[in-house]
């Protein structure tokens, strides 16, 4: 199932076409937060495609670490608020390296 975000960053079901049009019109809303610390990049994004399995709650956000000891670390979330907390957690991981 595909989603877009309303003005309060709440997910709204959409078609793949609607999702593509939304991303094209709102590219700044796909990247929730991105930071570089040295050679390490932490990225938290709105996926738009539900990554949940056997759940009624869509998993639509993801944080990844690129580079360093935790390269390819990944966690996914059901809300933008959880995604922002997860981004902080990822930053904590890399600052402990």
């Amino acid at each position: 199932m595909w989603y877009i975000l309303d003005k309060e960053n709440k997910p709204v079901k959409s078609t793949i076409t609607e999702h593509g049009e939304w991303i094209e019109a709102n590219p700044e809303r796909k990247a929730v937060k991105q930071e570089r610390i040295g050679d390490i990049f932490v990225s938290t994004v709105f996926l738009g495609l539900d990554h949940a399995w056997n759940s009624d709650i869509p998993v639509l956000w993801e944080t990844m670490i690129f580079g360093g000891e935790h390269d390819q670390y990944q966690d996914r979330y059901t809300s933008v608020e959880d995604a922002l907390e997860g981004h902080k957690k990822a930053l904590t991981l890399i600052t402990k390296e």
Side-chain angles (χ1 to χ4, degrees):
M1 179 67 59
W2 290 93
Y3 289 82
I4 59 175
L5 298 174
D6 68 13
K7 291 181 182 181
E8 287 81 39
N9 286 320
K10 301 299 179 204
V12 177
K13 287 182 182 178
S14 71
T15 66
I16 189 170
T17 302
E18 291 167 334
H19 174 79
E21 290 169 352
W22 183 86
I23 287 291
E24 196 170 295
N26 300 277
E28 73 286 352
R29 295 190 64 202
K30 181 163 178 61
V32 175
K33 195 157 193 168
Q34 296 182 319
E35 298 180 68
R36 183 173 298 280
I37 302 199
D39 292 337
I40 302 170
F41 185 64
V42 178
S43 176
T44 299
V45 298
F46 171 67
L47 299 168
L49 177 63
D50 183 9
H51 284 69
W53 292 94
N54 297 320
S55 174
D56 293 334
I57 303 171
V59 176
L60 299 171
W61 289 266
E62 176 182 84
T63 296
M64 287 194 72
I65 298 174
F66 301 95
E69 178 183 338
H70 300 283
D71 186 43
Q72 300 304 306
Y73 165 91
Q74 175 190 82
D75 206 356
R76 292 183 175 152
Y77 317 98
T78 58
S79 72
V80 68
E81 295 83 9
D82 288 347
L84 289 169
E85 284 301 313
H87 188 90
K88 288 179 191 176
K89 176 184 169 187
L91 289 175
T92 299
L93 282 174
I94 65 170
T95 56
K96 289 184 178 179
E97 288 186 2

